Amino acid sequence: MKTGAAGNTMKLTFDYHTHTKYSDGKSTALENALAAKEAGLWGIAVTDHGFSHVIFGVKRREKERYFADIDEAARQTNFPVFRGIEENILSLDGDCGLTEADFEDFDVYLAGFHPVVKYKDFPSFWEGGWATFRYRAHIKPSDRMVREMTRAYLRAVEKNPIDILTHVNYHCFADVKEVAKCCRDYGTYLEISGKKGHFTDEELAEAAATGVKFVVNSDAHSPGRIGDISLAAEQIGRVGVPLSQICNIDGRTPSFRLRDYKRTH
């Protein structure tokens, strides 16, 4: 049980952001599933970094083996283990690493900004790479950079059936309120990460005030962190985010865009 807003408690239902050895995690899908089951979760998604990540991404040639390991983990544990991916935003116009042809293979579609990815064009490489450098160097972004990165987030949500936008403003700079409004309008969930503080308290409060729906995830890279949302729960309680806006706690599960997209296309 984790402490939430207004002194209430929140119990994670489903952890939709976990990594394995296929990217930069330390475990297998089976080890993650066993840890999740032991923690009393309803299930997990395995969401390794996407095909466009230069260093840590799942390779397309590994895709079938990746799926087989996830499916085998579900079979051995008799426990829901979803096929997921944490893809990358690759251009200022919101292009992402998954194609239409990939959608049928996945259950959960996460996306966010990450360093060392295959940007679609030079302006995107320049802006995205420079934003990442400035973030790591703790250099204040220019107003123009914030506008460009915000536009990339908005276009990504508009153009792609992204289920969860991950750790917004980590490795990047954006107008969180505008991103939250776009997620609200398109049905994409905004992640509150249990691994890294990526929102300031003011940003999280502004996002919550838009009425956007959240998910809270561990972003676990090892079995011991599966289901650990203590960092996120502390901030949620401090800011006073209504627990009704967090859609994967206390027996609730989200309604994902990718699932609906595949049903109607």
Side-chain angles (χ1 to χ4, degrees):
M1 303 289 279
K2 310 295 183 184
T3 300
N8 294 324
T9 57
M10 49 188 272
K11 182 174 176 59
L12 190 65
T13 304
F14 211 113
D15 194 344
Y16 292 103
H17 190 170
T18 74
H19 291 269
T20 74
K21 292 178 180 179
Y22 278 93
S23 60
D24 54 349
K26 297 179 174 63
S27 51
T28 65
L30 178 59
E31 288 168 333
N32 284 3
L34 289 169
K37 196 169 185 178
E38 178 68 22
L41 302 185
W42 289 15
I44 60 168
V46 174
T47 52
D48 280 303
H49 290 292
F51 305 127
S52 53
H53 200 294
V54 174
I55 300 175
F56 294 124
V58 177
K59 306 297 186 292
R60 282 194 175 274
R61 66 177 181 273
E62 299 175 324
K63 186 173 72 169
E64 294 309 316
R65 184 157 54 91
Y66 176 64
F67 293 151
D69 286 356
I70 293 171
D71 295 346
E72 180 63 14
R75 188 193 68 77
Q76 287 195 35
T77 57
N78 193 29
F79 185 73
V81 185
F82 288 175
R83 295 180 177 188
I85 198 159
E86 185 184 13
E87 255 303 342
N88 308 288
I89 299 173
L90 301 178
S91 78
L92 299 179
D93 199 40
D95 296 287
C96 292
L98 284 195
T99 67
E100 182 94 14
D102 292 318
F103 292 164
E104 196 59 39
D105 293 330
F106 290 95
D107 303 310
V108 183
Y109 184 2
L110 280 58
F113 270 104
H114 300 90
V116 200
V117 301
K118 298 173 185 175
Y119 289 103
K120 186 175 181 180
D121 50 45
F122 182 77
S124 301
F125 164 77
W126 180 257
E127 293 291 347
W130 183 228
T132 298
F133 171 80
R134 290 181 74 129
Y135 181 94
R136 287 180 171 270
H138 304 287
I139 300 172
K140 184 178 178 180
S142 66
D143 292 342
R144 184 188 60 79
M145 180 175 286
V146 172
R147 287 195 303 270
E148 292 289 344
M149 295 297 101
T150 300
R151 178 167 71 91
Y153 273 125
L154 302 187
R155 292 292 288 137
V157 171
E158 292 165 0
K159 291 172 66 173
N160 303 278
I162 296 168
D163 295 317
I164 302 170
L165 209 56
T166 60
H167 48 66
V168 170
N169 270 17
Y170 182 73
H171 290 311
C172 191
F173 308 96
D175 183 328
V176 171
K177 183 177 180 180
E178 290 303 311
V179 175
K181 286 162 60 178
C182 184
C183 287
R184 176 199 66 196
D185 293 344
Y186 281 84
T188 291
Y189 293 87
L190 202 55
E191 181 181 68
I192 307 175
S193 175
K195 180 174 184 283
K196 51 181 78 80
H198 55 108
F199 292 134
T200 66
D201 285 359
E202 181 181 3
E203 287 171 342
L204 183 56
E206 286 185 341
T210 69
V212 71
K213 299 297 186 182
F214 297 99
V215 295
V216 56
N217 289 320
S218 70
D219 192 1
H221 286 62
S222 61
R225 285 212 61 256
I226 298 291
D228 182 357
I229 57 168
S230 54
L231 179 67
E234 180 183 346
Q235 187 180 31
I236 289 164
R238 187 171 65 246
V239 173
V241 177
L243 297 189
S244 60
Q245 286 179 238
I246 304 172
C247 296
N248 63 326
I249 62 170
D250 302 335
R252 298 193 298 275
T253 55
S255 177
F256 281 144
R257 284 181 72 186
L258 180 61
R259 186 182 309 147
D260 293 340
Y261 183 91
K262 292 192 293 185
R263 190 180 300 127
T264 57
H265 287 73

